[in-house]
Every structure is written in C-alpha cells, then in structure tokens.
Amino acid sequence: MKNNRAFTLIELLVVIAIIAILAAILFPVFAQAKLAAKKTSDLSNIKNNTMGGILYTADTDDMLPFVEWPDFYANAARFMPYIKNRQVFTSSVSTFKIGSYQKKQGGNGYGFYMENPASPCVGALGVSTRGQANFYDDIYPPLDYLWNESLNEGQVSCTGPWWNTSATVNIDGGISMTSGKFTNIAKVAMWSNFPSIGTQWPGGCVDGNCDNGASVGSAYSSFWGANYRGPFSEGSNVGYVDGHAKYNKFRALHPCGRENCTDSAGLRTDYKAWGFNWASPSVQ
C-alpha cells in the first residue's frame, strides 16, 4: 500500500526557519560582494579619467587646465579627446543618469548653476545643441567625480556669461605639474568620488567648514544625507596627479569630519591639501 504521508506543520516551519537563517547569513555577503565589485569598477573609471588629465597636460606644457569654480565638468569635456569614453566619468554607484555633479549644479531644486559650454569662462568648449534643459550633455559628459580645486595657480579675469549673468569674473589658472607648490605628486588628489561627505552643497555645507548638514544661511538638511561618508563603506576612491588611484577611508580624507580640516597651526590636513607645500607637514 502506497504511503502518501504529507509534511507536518512543524516540519514545514523548520524548513522555512532554516531558509530564513541561510538568507540572513548570505544576503549581506552578496551585498558586500556586489559593493566590492562596484568599488573596483569605480576605481578603474577614476584611474582612467585621471590618466586623461595627465595626457592633457602632456599637450599643454605640463599645465593642468584652468577651471572656473565649481564648473569641473568642463575638465571632463577637455579630457574627452584623450579618453573617448564618457562612461569613465560615471560611478557604478551613482543614482543620477545626468551625473552627480550635474545634479548638484543643475538639477538640485535650488537653481541652475551650470556654465554654458560656449562661455569663454570654461574655454569656449563648443556650442551645445542640447542646451540647458539637457545639461549641455552633448559637450559635458555626465560627471560623478569632483575635481580638486587646489589644482590652480592664481586667478585670471574672464568677461562672459557666468551663472546666467553677464559679468567680469575670476577663474583659477592651471598649475604646472612641475610646480614648486607640489611636495609629492603621488599624494596630490586630482579626482575623487562626489560627494565624499554629506555636507557638500546644496543643502549642506557651502563654505567648507560646516558639519553634518549645517548650512550657511539655510535650514535645509543636507542634499546627500547629513551623515553621508562616501559611497564605499565610509570611504571614497581618489585619483592622483601621478596617475595612480586608490580607496581611502572617510577619516583619512576628512580627519576632522568636515570638508576642510586644519592642524593646531591652522594648516590644512584634508585630502585636497595632500602633497602641497602650504599644507600641514603631516600631509606633505
């Protein structure tokens, strides 16, 4: 006689419990493996766009490009002829197809602050047929990385459109790769994940010295999240002026927990000061 014995309720509950336990153990492992793969992909991209910057300087007598703060997407456009791949300026963890930096400058809900690429203030890169509504994306590639604004030397006057106005403005001149301002080019950051800290504007810190979403003249919470500490396990990838790239923990990049940090003598210690002769001796 055939035995058609079914599972008892207890047996089913035991099986379900075992599956639940295995899922609780394995899902975090899968998530960590996925994040590690994204970090590796991101590191490759940031290294490639850093190499684009180095190739650019080879054609400009070792001069890094001038840049009108904060229009760093102009540098991505300048490096495109050397890279020929828009994807190297995007991060695997970015949630913005337009680019994290474009989101900050043009899609932030506060105002549109992207410079027209035809402006001489960004080097008259070309006339966009896509226009402001599309973030000038036929000229500017989507950008998920932040240019180190310490890579400048002096200022140059520029007359032209600036943040949708006509004015005479100052732009930062490029610094030479062989400048005496560098103490060690292997320490000088060129590109980094953007954002690397939650207080970066808009809605967070607008003068570089605020902490955890406290904004100057504004009560808005941080746009990226008040306690944001980088996209990869509280850290970010950084590309350096000598061409290498590596991962850094948040506290190495921002040792005081704010964007700009100083030592007891008032000299900068955050990653944008690394390798400069004006920085704290601890990071030169």
Side-chain angles (χ1 to χ4, degrees), residues 129-142:
T129 60
R130 296 274 289 166
Q132 176 177 309
N134 296 292
F135 304 92
Y136 308 112
D137 60 7
D138 52 343
I139 305 289
Y140 300 136

Side-chain angles (χ1 to χ4, degrees), residues 1-15:
M1 183 176 178
K2 185 180 288 186
N3 185 358
N4 290 322
R5 178 181 176 277
F7 289 111
T8 66
L9 178 60
I10 295 296
E11 290 171 331
L12 288 173
L13 290 175
V14 168
V15 171

Side-chain angles (χ1 to χ4, degrees), residues 58-130:
D59 284 344
T60 55
D61 296 325
D62 275 344
M63 291 294 292
L64 289 160
F66 72 85
V67 60
E68 179 194 10
W69 182 92
D71 300 322
F72 304 128
Y73 37 77
N75 283 352
R78 289 186 179 100
F79 300 163
M80 273 295 295
Y82 303 92
I83 299 173
K84 303 184 187 302
N85 183 353
R86 293 164 64 91
Q87 297 306 308
V88 302
F89 296 104
T90 62
S91 173
S92 54
V93 294
S94 174
T95 58
F96 307 115
K97 284 188 68 176
I98 60 173
S100 298
Y101 212 77
Q102 279 84 346
K103 179 69 176 177
K104 166 186 176 284
Q105 288 293 99
N108 55 57
Y110 295 78
F112 192 93
Y113 299 108
M114 289 185 68
E115 186 71 74
N116 189 318
S119 166
C121 296
V122 291
L125 296 169
V127 177
S128 172
T129 60
R130 296 274 289 166

